[in-house]
């Protein structure tokens, strides 16, 4: 069974602080996605990383894929209350098979 | 921007009844998926579908479940005889060859 472990599970910070969320596995993925999910809604894709060592930036969000394609991180700079939500990583396997989801990190940014 | 749509948004059914959940994937995508999420739990893979056949399924996807792409646009999930434990959010996703998957808004299934 391929497992994705996300840490921390819960994170509560003040507006303006920086944070990093981690996604780790013993499996090698062909690609890895980060999603954000609001209660009662579907996961919304933030980014896909494919190449080992790849870094992608989306405004205040920086995503990094590990060199061995087994882990990833999401760094948020100067967090805002609008960043509050559940952040999910999902690892995909070759030939567009299933994605394995992590348990998620629930982020709360207090004004 | 193209998006995955799902109907209905909420389905209430009696235990033992059949339900069909419907999805319209993004039009140029070739890979289709169903996931479920029980309240408060993680997103769980059910099944993937490519080239008009199931490419992979999880142990959750037993004989009570089936999927179909009846025409060029719809992708359906059927549960033949619903159980209480089938109550969950069901998400359809469609994707591209790089395995990026785009999720629909979900159908909340409540089995009474």
């Amino acid at each position: 069974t391929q497992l994705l472990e996300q840490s921390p599970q819960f994170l509560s910070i003040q507006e303006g602080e920086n944070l990093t969320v981690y996604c780790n596995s013993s499996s090698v993925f062909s690609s890895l996605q980060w999603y954000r999910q609001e209660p009662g809604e579907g996961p919304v894709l933030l980014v896909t990383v494919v190449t080992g060592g790849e870094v992608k930036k989306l405004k205040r969000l920086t995503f990094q894929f590990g060199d061995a394609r087994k882990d990833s991180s999401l760094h948020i700079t100067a967090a805002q209350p609008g960043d509050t939500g559940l952040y999910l990583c999902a690892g995909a396997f070759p030939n567009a098979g299933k994605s394995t989801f992590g348990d998620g990190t629930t982020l709360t940014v207090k004004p | 921007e193209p998006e995955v749509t799902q109907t209905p948004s909420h389905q209430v059914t009696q235990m033992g009844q059949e339900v069909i959940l419907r999805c319209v994937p993004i039009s140029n995508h070739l890979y289709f998926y169903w996931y479920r999420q029980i309240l408060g739990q993680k997103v769980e893979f059910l099944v993937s579908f490519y080239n008009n056949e199931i490419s992979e399924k999880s142990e959750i996807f037993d004989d009570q479940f089936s999927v179909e792409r009846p025409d060029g646009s719809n992708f359906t999930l059927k549960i033949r005889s619903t159980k209480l434990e089938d109550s969950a959010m069901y998400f359809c996703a469609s994707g591209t060859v790089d395995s990026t998957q785009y999720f629909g808004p979900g159908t909340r299934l409540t089995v009474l």
Side-chain angles (χ1 to χ4, degrees):
Chain A
T1 303
Q2 298 93 356
L3 291 176
L4 266 178
E5 295 183 354
Q6 284 188 244
S7 60
Q9 187 176 0
F10 298 96
L11 187 57
S12 181
I13 61 171
Q14 293 295 133
E15 182 176 3
E17 293 183 357
N18 302 331
L19 67 115
T20 301
V21 175
Y22 299 93
C23 177
N24 296 292
S25 176
S26 57
S27 301
V28 176
F29 298 107
S30 57
S31 67
L32 190 141
Q33 287 77 40
W34 283 94
Y35 296 86
R36 181 175 154 185
Q37 186 178 24
E38 300 291 339
E41 299 181 9
V44 175
L45 179 70
L46 296 175
V47 78
T48 293
V49 286
V50 179
T51 306
E54 182 177 4
V55 177
K56 282 191 174 179
K57 291 192 175 183
L58 187 67
K59 296 183 181 178
R60 293 177 295 100
L61 278 59
T62 301
F63 305 87
Q64 185 162 9
F65 202 14
D67 291 340
R69 305 209 314 276
K70 294 182 179 181
D71 54 84
S72 181
S73 63
L74 158 59
H75 182 78
I76 301 179
T77 303
Q80 299 175 0
D83 296 328
T84 293
L86 176 66
Y87 289 83
L88 298 164
C89 66
F93 298 93
N95 302 316
K98 67 177 181 181
S99 282
T100 297
F101 278 79
D103 287 335
T105 293
T106 300
L107 172 65
T108 303
V109 182
K110 301 175 184 176
Chain B
E1 187 172 324
E3 58 183 19
V4 177
T5 59
Q6 291 185 242
T7 55
S9 57
H10 192 187
Q11 174 87 51
V12 181
T13 189
Q14 294 291 324
M15 189 170 57
Q17 295 296 305
E18 174 183 286
V19 294
I20 297 176
L21 310 182
R22 302 180 192 279
C23 169
V24 178
I26 295 173
S27 62
N28 62 341
H29 286 178
L30 300 177
Y31 301 87
F32 313 109
Y33 311 83
W34 283 101
Y35 292 83
R36 80 172 185 190
Q37 187 175 33
I38 295 171
L39 186 64
Q41 298 186 21
K42 66 189 295 183
V43 176
E44 298 176 290
F45 170 77
L46 292 178
V47 66
S48 58
F49 191 86
Y50 170 71
N51 201 24
N52 286 320
E53 61 183 22
I54 291 174
S55 49
E56 191 166 357
K57 59 183 181 180
S58 73
E59 57 191 23
I60 302 170
F61 194 88
D62 61 22
D63 292 344
Q64 293 300 311
F65 291 87
S66 62
V67 290
E68 197 174 37
R69 188 158 161 80
D71 52 44
S73 60
N74 292 286
F75 181 50
T76 62
L77 173 68
K78 180 192 291 186
I79 309 175
R80 289 188 183 80
S81 178
T82 51
K83 303 185 287 287
L84 295 176
E85 55 265 38
D86 292 329
S87 294
M89 285 288 286
Y90 287 81
F91 295 108
C92 171
S94 70
T96 58
V97 68
D98 73 353
S99 300
T100 295
Q101 297 173 28
Y102 296 83
F103 283 75
T107 293
R108 179 175 299 282
L109 175 65
T110 301
V111 182
L112 302 176

